[in-house]
Amino acid sequence: MKDDFDSFEGLQSFETEGIEEASANNASSFSSFGLDSDSTPGESVNTGSAESNTLEDYGAQIIRTLSANGIAPTPYNYRIYFEKLLEDKTQQFKDNATQFISLDLTPTERQALLEDKVLRAKNHMVNTLQQVGTAYKNLQLLQNILKKHESEVSATNNAIALQNIITVFEKELKSLGETTKVQLQNIKVSYDRSMQAIESIANNIICDEKYGLYNRNFLDIRLLAELESIHAENHKSSLILIQITKSLARRITSDKSSILINRAISKILQKIANKSDVLAYCGSEVFGILLSHSDREAAKRFANRLIEKVSTTNIFLGEEEISLSVCTGIAEINGSSKSKDVFKNALEALKKASSSNVSFVVAGEGKEKKH
């Protein structure tokens, strides 16, 4: 499940915090990966924040860190820690390392199933249009019949001839009515099937077109997968929900302004998130981000970075320049967490942060600093 939607790589762009100055030993853009050095692959490397001179050394550091934390060295976990440990590296090392991060573009079974549903919906809609086309032809036939008999009626003064015209007209209407009744029923059946197919497709859509992020549906899918991973490996992760502050919301006077502000927030979120984080728009002007292998303290640090980035960003609404501000709600996910409670707890924490005008509230903890 975790790789089902990797082909949507265009949804997020990323950079990493914790930048350090590059050392003099890293003058070459390739030397940090040992491409022009005499370093030996697999040399002893600390699992802390010390710089690794080669990609091999960095890989060994990742494996040791996974082992020290009791995390299975699966490709998924390795990719998460590949990005997480970059926070303590120089910017040059980060730039070199991120060249090797790529997403799998192979179509998945889930994508194939979605395409099958799209094709079924197409067939239902084509059938509906064909039925509508036939009904339209019958309406044209009815118009022609009316015109024909109208001419006949106006051209005769004979009562018997007039009665014959009416009898023929009644038979034609009856026949056409029976045919149309069947066609209308077919149209209704085809229309209902089309709508069901479209609804089924909508339930499988994972991106939000308004902000170019994942949607709540995909966030729920990944949250369930994360819970399965946590129950199997006994690590901790966090869900953070974000929305603009009440003081900022009071200054918004139109839907257009609201969208402009939230788009600015979404861009900041994309810049500070890792590729292994799941960033989504949850509806009702609330954004969510799932931080895998990040406990509440790591989530607090992320929230602080976000709030600092947002607070230094100004946008223009018309001729007025305003400063952005957000509040966040954090829910830590551990082995005892239940899927139905995680989002609920994060949302309740977000509401507390918003009503109390504080930067963030962690579910189960007290309130944090005010804005």
Side-chain angles (χ1 to χ4, degrees), residues 286-331:
V286 174
F287 297 94
I289 183 164
L290 176 61
L291 304 178
S292 185
H293 292 265
S294 299
D295 60 14
R296 65 179 63 191
E297 295 304 320
K300 289 179 183 178
R301 291 193 294 272
F302 180 93
N304 279 327
R305 290 204 308 273
L306 171 63
I307 291 162
E308 289 173 4
K309 286 273 188 181
V310 170
S311 64
T312 57
T313 303
N314 296 337
I315 68 170
F316 283 91
L317 295 180
E319 297 182 355
E320 181 184 10
E321 183 179 12
I322 64 172
S323 298
L324 301 182
S325 57
V326 295
C327 52
T328 61
I330 300 171

Side-chain angles (χ1 to χ4, degrees), residues 106-263:
T106 303
T108 63
E109 182 180 355
R110 184 179 295 275
Q111 183 177 344
L113 290 173
L114 179 59
E115 290 179 1
D116 180 66
K117 291 181 179 180
V118 171
L119 291 175
R120 288 176 182 271
K122 174 191 171 185
N123 291 336
H124 289 316
M125 287 186 283
V126 168
N127 184 58
T128 301
L129 292 174
Q130 289 173 341
Q131 296 288 345
V132 170
T134 303
Y136 174 74
K137 290 180 180 178
N138 286 333
L139 288 174
Q140 286 183 316
L141 177 60
L142 177 59
Q143 287 180 328
N144 293 334
I145 290 173
L146 290 172
K147 288 180 180 179
K148 172 189 173 184
H149 291 300
E150 182 182 8
S151 299
E152 291 175 344
V153 169
S154 62
T156 182
N157 294 321
N158 188 295
I160 296 176
L162 184 59
Q163 182 61 46
N164 289 336
I165 292 173
I166 294 174
T167 300
V168 172
F169 182 48
E170 287 177 343
K171 288 181 179 179
E172 290 174 338
L173 283 181
K174 182 178 179 182
S175 176
L176 185 59
E178 290 174 352
T179 301
T180 304
K181 181 179 180 181
V182 174
Q183 290 172 342
L184 289 175
Q185 181 61 33
N186 290 339
I187 290 174
K188 183 180 184 305
V189 171
S190 184
Y191 174 81
D192 290 341
R193 288 175 179 173
S194 298
M195 293 306 297
Q196 290 173 3
I198 292 172
E199 184 177 352
S200 178
I201 293 171
N203 291 335
N204 285 273
I205 296 297
I206 64 169
C207 59
D208 174 76
E209 62 179 356
K210 185 187 293 184
Y211 298 114
L213 307 175
Y214 291 119
N215 60 16
R216 170 70 187 277
N217 180 47
F218 184 71
L219 180 62
D220 287 341
I221 291 172
R222 294 303 296 265
L223 182 57
L224 286 173
E226 190 66 23
L227 281 166
E228 291 177 5
S229 175
I230 290 172
H231 292 155
E233 301 174 358
N234 197 31
H235 63 269
K236 294 179 179 179
S237 296
S238 296
L239 175 66
I240 304 179
L241 297 183
I242 306 107
Q243 68 178 176
I244 62 173
T245 60
K246 284 186 174 180
S247 58
L248 177 56
R250 283 193 288 267
R251 303 182 66 178
I252 299 176
T253 58
S254 67
D255 290 340
K256 182 179 179 180
S257 296
S258 177
I259 292 174
L260 287 174
I261 289 174
N262 279 299
R263 279 181 179 166

Side-chain angles (χ1 to χ4, degrees), residues 34-82:
L35 298 183
D36 59 357
S37 69
D38 296 327
S39 60
T40 303
E43 290 180 343
S44 177
V45 181
N46 292 330
T47 58
S49 61
E51 185 71 24
S52 302
N53 292 324
T54 68
L55 180 60
E56 290 82 359
D57 289 340
Y58 185 56
Q61 179 186 349
I62 295 169
I63 295 298
R64 288 181 178 135
T65 303
L66 287 169
S67 178
N69 293 338
I71 305 298
T74 63
Y76 180 62
N77 290 338
Y78 183 92
R79 188 173 71 180
I80 291 173
Y81 274 79
F82 188 100

